[in-house]
Each structure stands twice: as structure tokens, then as C-alpha cells.
Amino acid sequence: MRLGSNSYDVQRTEAIGQTPAKSPLANQITCTVTFLDSTSFHFDIEKNSLGIVLLEKVFTYLEIIEKDYFGLIFIAVDSSSTQQKKWLDPSKCLRKQMVCPPYHLFFRVKFYVRDPNRLRDEFTRFQFYQQVRQNLEEGRLPCNEGSLALLASYVVQAEVGDFDEKTHGIARTCLCFKIQFATLPDDFSDRVAELHQLHVGQTPDIAEQNFLEHARRLEMYGMDVYDGRDANHLPIEIGVGAIGIKVFHDGIKMNEYVWSRIRKLSFKKKQFQVLVANEDGPDETIMIFNTLSAKICKLLWKCCIEQHTFFRLKSPPKTPQRKVFNFGSKFRYSGRTEYQTLEENEHRKAAGHRNFHSVFLEFLVQKRAEEESI
């Protein structure tokens, strides 16, 4: 349980700082996972373990209940020495995916919930806050200066607390100079300080929630982005998320294709095709995009399948059986969907209410028995 944004995890620090590193057993491998707060931890798993084994160890370590929004990323290097980020597949052997050590992975948000208020667990929201803040600082979540100043002010409120003259100097360096954006105006930190004064009384949890509430309205919120070119060879970014597919050029949205209008997704070598139903009729249009490589194109296609299944379906479909002379990828998302996650949250909430009422009823019965004995 997180006690606040400015906290010191005694147990975790002792585990990392005082316990000497152990050499893995002959039938084990050591995986290093870096978390969103930049700390790392070593997990030992059996050599032939599936990815889900490491994921469950990470979830247990972080005490995460709403697991389905998160995943582990690793850096894969192909034959041309090109680095590409890949999501760890829970259903496949970890060593076959990462090929060789070091086994270094990064804990990240994989599916960005459209409304952060639907997250039940406070620590889940905190992980989302850390992820979106990291995206903002690294320039992967473009926004105008007004939105950037407002988001920065919520971060300062969460990290520093209420504004006063003594903390103003700390607030100026809290976020503003970490953001890898284009040159900001000289008075930017003063604008952040002015907005910071409007948040007096907000606890870290409320400030983080307001941060997410504003961030989710940005065009590139929750987008898994892939570089490519359109039919006119214009450099574009293809973003995939909960709503559908968005096409950007220099951070500006050019087109948007929601899942309800998308009929089919296909790829061949570097070419990615989207069959889209027209808004004003029964006709359909094929949108063609070119990615930087065939491997990136396949990753984009897989990402679309995962995002569509997670946010649009009640349960994942069964993987079609591979036929003898049937070529092409039969990849399907095999994890749980958002619908199943939210449904489980409701059951957990109802069970919590039942437990509370039963304990309260037991307390009343015991109290009445004590009164009658007197």
C-alpha cells in the first residue's frame, strides 16, 4: 500500500541494499526488471519458464491487483543490429523470446484505460500516473504549453504539496527542467507556480488523479506509436490505442479510424493495410501505410489485435487452428480483456461489502450478548 508520493520503502530498500546478490541455480536464470520509479529488482525463475511466471512474480512484488493493464517490455536486437521494443508474451518461453542474457525488462503500462476513474486500486492509478508522467517528460506525449504547464502544476502539487514561498524554489525544479521538449519560454516555471497556487488542499492522490484526468484528453494519450510513411511518402506516426488507430504528422493528428469502423487489418512485408467502412455509406476504403521494416509492420499488426481485443471484446477469441497449407500469422491476444477486469473488480467490491457486513453483524451480536450477560 502506498502511503504517499513522497515515501521511503523500508522493506524494499533493505531487500535490495542488504541482501547480497545470489548466484542463480543451474536450472534458473536471473531477470532484472526496472520499474517506473527507476528502481530495479532481480527475479530468479526456472530456465524454461513461460513469461507469465515472471509477470506474476512482478505483480506480487508490486502488490498490483489490476494486473491486466500492465506488461513487461524488453529490447530485441535483430540481425541488422536494429533495436526494437517488444512486449513479453506471457504464453511463450521467456528465453525463446529474449534469446540470450542479460534478461533485462521494463515494467510498463500496456493498455491505457480511457477513464482513470474506473481503476479501483489506488496503487494501480499511481502506476498510471508514473507512466504518463514519464511519457510527458520524454516527449512521447506532445501537448501545448498551456496543458504542459497545468500538468506540471499537478505534479508539483503531488510531489511538494501546497504552494508557499519556501517551496517555490523546489517546485521550479520538480518537473519543468526534466521535460525534453522544444525550448520553453523563460516564464514557463512562473506559469506553473501560478497554477500550483490554485491546487491548495489537494492531497497527492487527488493531484495525481487530476493529472490523469487532464492527460487522458490529449490526442496521443495511450498511443503505442510506430513510425512509417503514408501513400504520398509523408513521414507519419501510426498510433494504436483504446479508441482505434490514429495517424500523426509531427505530433498533429491527421486521421483517426475508430475500431467500430475498421473491418480488417492485414500486413505484407513493410506494408500495413486497414480496411475502413465509410461514414456516409456502405462502401469501404483501404488505407495503406508503409513501415520502416517488415518486423515493425508485424509488431504494429499484433499491437492492433491486442488493443482491439482488450478494449472491444468481452473475452478473447480462440486462436484458429493452423492448417497444413495455411500460411501467415495466426497470432491472437490470449490475455484477459478490460471487460473481464472490470467485472472482476465489481465482484471483488461486492465481496468486500459482504465481508464488512458480516463482520459488523458479528460485532453487533457479540455486543448484545455482552449486554445481556451484564
Side-chain angles (χ1 to χ4, degrees):
M1 182 179 72
R2 187 171 65 87
L3 300 179
S5 295
N6 299 307
S7 60
Y8 178 75
D9 194 327
V10 176
Q11 184 177 5
R12 183 183 299 182
T13 305
E14 289 181 353
I16 297 175
Q18 295 184 9
T19 303
K22 297 184 298 182
S23 299
L25 300 176
N27 64 337
Q28 289 185 333
I29 58 174
T30 298
C31 301
T32 302
V33 178
T34 299
F35 304 107
L36 288 165
D37 60 0
S38 298
T39 62
S40 298
F41 195 79
H42 305 292
F43 298 91
D44 292 333
I45 62 173
E46 293 186 2
K47 281 186 176 180
N48 298 320
S49 295
L50 301 180
I52 188 63
V53 174
L54 178 60
L55 272 168
E56 288 298 332
K57 283 181 174 286
V58 170
F59 293 143
T60 300
Y61 176 76
L62 292 176
E63 298 181 4
I64 288 182
I65 299 174
E66 297 167 292
K67 307 173 184 179
D68 304 296
Y69 294 104
F70 303 97
L72 294 173
I73 274 183
F74 63 94
I75 307 299
V77 181
D78 59 21
S79 56
S80 62
S81 299
T82 302
Q83 293 186 343
Q84 182 64 46
K85 293 181 179 179
K86 288 186 177 181
W87 289 102
L88 182 71
D89 190 332
S91 63
K92 294 182 179 179
C93 177
L94 185 143
R95 282 204 309 159
K96 289 184 178 180
Q97 297 180 69
M98 300 189 68
V99 183
C100 62
Y103 302 108
H104 191 181
L105 304 97
F106 302 86
F107 178 78
R108 295 291 182 266
V109 173
K110 185 174 185 178
F111 300 107
Y112 287 76
V113 61
R114 286 162 287 188
D115 183 4
N117 292 320
R118 302 183 77 177
L119 300 172
R120 295 291 184 186
D121 185 58
E122 175 192 339
F123 194 63
T124 305
R125 284 196 298 271
F126 179 62
Q127 295 293 334
F128 266 79
Y129 163 76
Q130 286 188 310
Q131 178 70 82
V132 176
R133 175 181 171 176
Q134 185 182 98
N135 295 346
L136 187 71
E137 292 176 353
E138 295 178 354
R140 290 184 282 117
L141 185 59
C143 61
N144 57 46
E145 291 179 7
S147 293
L148 182 60
L150 179 59
L151 290 169
S153 69
Y154 285 129
V155 171
V156 176
Q157 179 68 25
E159 298 293 328
V160 181
D162 291 343
F163 176 90
D164 62 45
E165 294 299 333
K166 294 180 181 179
T167 61
H168 181 46
I170 302 176
R172 291 172 69 93
T173 60
C174 186
L175 177 74
C176 304
F177 304 116
K178 295 181 181 179
I179 300 174
Q180 300 175 6
F181 270 68
T183 304
L184 295 169
D186 295 335
D187 64 342
F188 180 77
S189 58
D190 292 326
R191 292 166 59 186
V192 173
E194 290 177 5
L195 291 169
H196 180 204
Q197 297 177 58
L198 303 177
H199 308 326
V200 173
Q202 290 187 14
T203 62
D205 292 340
I206 297 300
E208 291 162 7
Q209 191 170 346
N210 289 332
F211 173 90
L212 289 173
E213 180 63 28
H214 186 76
R216 77 181 181 94
R217 304 176 191 279
L218 300 176
E219 286 291 354
M220 293 192 75
Y221 167 81
M223 292 282 106
D224 199 347
V225 179
Y226 299 81
D227 293 328
R229 293 183 178 274
D230 64 6
N232 298 318
H233 303 288
L234 181 71
I236 57 173
E237 300 87 40
I238 306 168
V240 187
I243 297 175
I245 300 173
K246 295 182 181 181
V247 181
F248 302 89
H249 174 63
D250 291 337
I252 300 174
K253 187 177 73 172
M254 300 175 60
N255 285 301
E256 179 179 33
Y257 310 104
V258 295
W259 291 125
S260 59
R261 288 179 52 211
I262 295 176
R263 296 291 178 262
K264 191 175 182 180
L265 301 164
S266 58
F267 73 97
K268 185 177 182 181
K269 295 183 178 180
K270 296 182 181 181
Q271 193 175 85
F272 180 67
Q273 297 183 358
V274 184
L275 182 63
V276 184
N278 296 339
E279 293 183 2
D280 52 356
D283 297 334
E284 298 173 331
T285 303
I286 298 178
M287 308 305 301
I288 300 175
F289 307 102
N290 293 300
T291 59
L292 302 182
S293 69
K295 288 188 176 181
I296 292 178
C297 193
K298 187 174 182 179
L299 288 175
L300 170 59
W301 179 75
K302 285 185 173 182
C303 177
C304 290
I305 292 175
E306 291 179 328
Q307 295 285 336
H308 171 262
T309 304
F310 184 81
F311 287 108
R312 292 283 294 178
L313 304 185
K314 288 187 175 181
S315 61
K318 294 182 179 180
T319 303
Q321 294 183 350
R322 183 179 291 275
K323 299 178 181 179
V324 178
F325 298 105
N326 191 12
F327 299 97
S329 175
K330 294 299 178 183
F331 171 81
R332 293 295 183 271
Y333 173 67
S334 58
R336 300 200 316 166
T337 65
E338 184 184 43
Y339 176 86
Q340 291 172 322
T341 299
L342 296 175
E343 195 175 49
E344 183 184 65
N345 287 342
E346 291 300 324
H347 291 160
R348 190 183 296 116
K349 181 181 178 182
H353 284 308
R354 287 195 297 270
N355 291 338
F356 170 78
H357 287 303
S358 62
V359 171
F360 185 65
L361 182 60
E362 183 180 347
F363 167 75
L364 291 178
V365 171
Q366 184 178 0
K367 186 176 180 182
R368 174 170 291 183
E370 291 175 354
E371 291 175 350
E372 290 177 353
S373 64
I374 296 174

